[in-house]
Amino acid sequence: MKRIGVIGAGAGGLCAARHILAAGNIQPVVWEQSDRVGGTWVYNPNTGQDKNGLPIFSSMYKNLKTNLPKEVMAFPDSPFPEGGKSYVSHKGVLSYLEDYCKHYQLYPHIK
C-alpha cells in the first residue's frame, strides 16, 4: 500500500488525510507536533516551552469567537452540529475538528 505524508493535524491536515483515505489504496501518515488534533484551534494559555523544549505559542485567546459563521467554515460534507449560534468559540471549532477526526477514523493515522 502506498503511503503519503501529511504535516499537521489541523483543519487542513485532517481534511487532506480524510481524502487520501477516501481515494483508496493510499494510507496517510499525519505528523503532528503536539499531543492533540486541532492545529491553531487548540487554545493554550501557557507561555515559554513545552515538555519537549519547543516554544509554546497560540493564536487563540480565552474568549475568542470566529469571525466567520460556522456554516461557511464547515467542510462541505461535514456540517457543524445543528442549532446554536453561527459564530462559535474556539472550543466549538476544536470540538468540530475532533468529531471530524473520529467520524473519518483518522486518529490511527496520526503520529
Side-chain angles (χ1 to χ4, degrees):
M1 179 175 283
K2 195 181 218 183
R3 292 190 302 177
I4 294 180
V6 176
I7 306 298
L14 295 176
C15 185
R18 179 247 192 246
H19 286 283
I20 290 167
L21 274 175
N25 236 16
I26 305 173
Q27 179 183 0
V29 178
V30 182
W31 288 287
E32 173 54 44
Q33 178 175 304
S34 73
D35 60 355
R36 63 187 304 184
V37 302
T40 195
W41 294 102
V42 176
Y43 169 68
N44 185 349
N46 299 321
T47 59
Q49 296 180 337
D50 67 11
K51 63 184 178 187
N52 300 314
L54 298 171
I56 296 173
F57 61 93
S58 177
S59 57
M60 296 292 116
Y61 53 91
K62 186 177 180 180
N63 297 314
L64 181 126
K65 291 195 177 177
T66 62
N67 61 354
L68 292 172
K70 66 182 181 184
E71 295 81 7
V72 174
M73 291 180 64
F75 297 124
D77 57 352
S78 299
F80 271 77
E82 290 292 321
K85 297 179 180 180
S86 284
Y87 294 88
V88 297
S89 70
H90 61 82
K91 291 176 188 175
V93 178
L94 180 59
S95 177
Y96 169 79
L97 293 173
E98 291 168 337
D99 290 346
Y100 182 88
C101 194
K102 286 178 200 162
H103 178 77
Y104 290 106
Q105 301 175 347
L106 301 176
Y107 280 110
H109 302 280
I110 300 171
K111 300 200 177 302

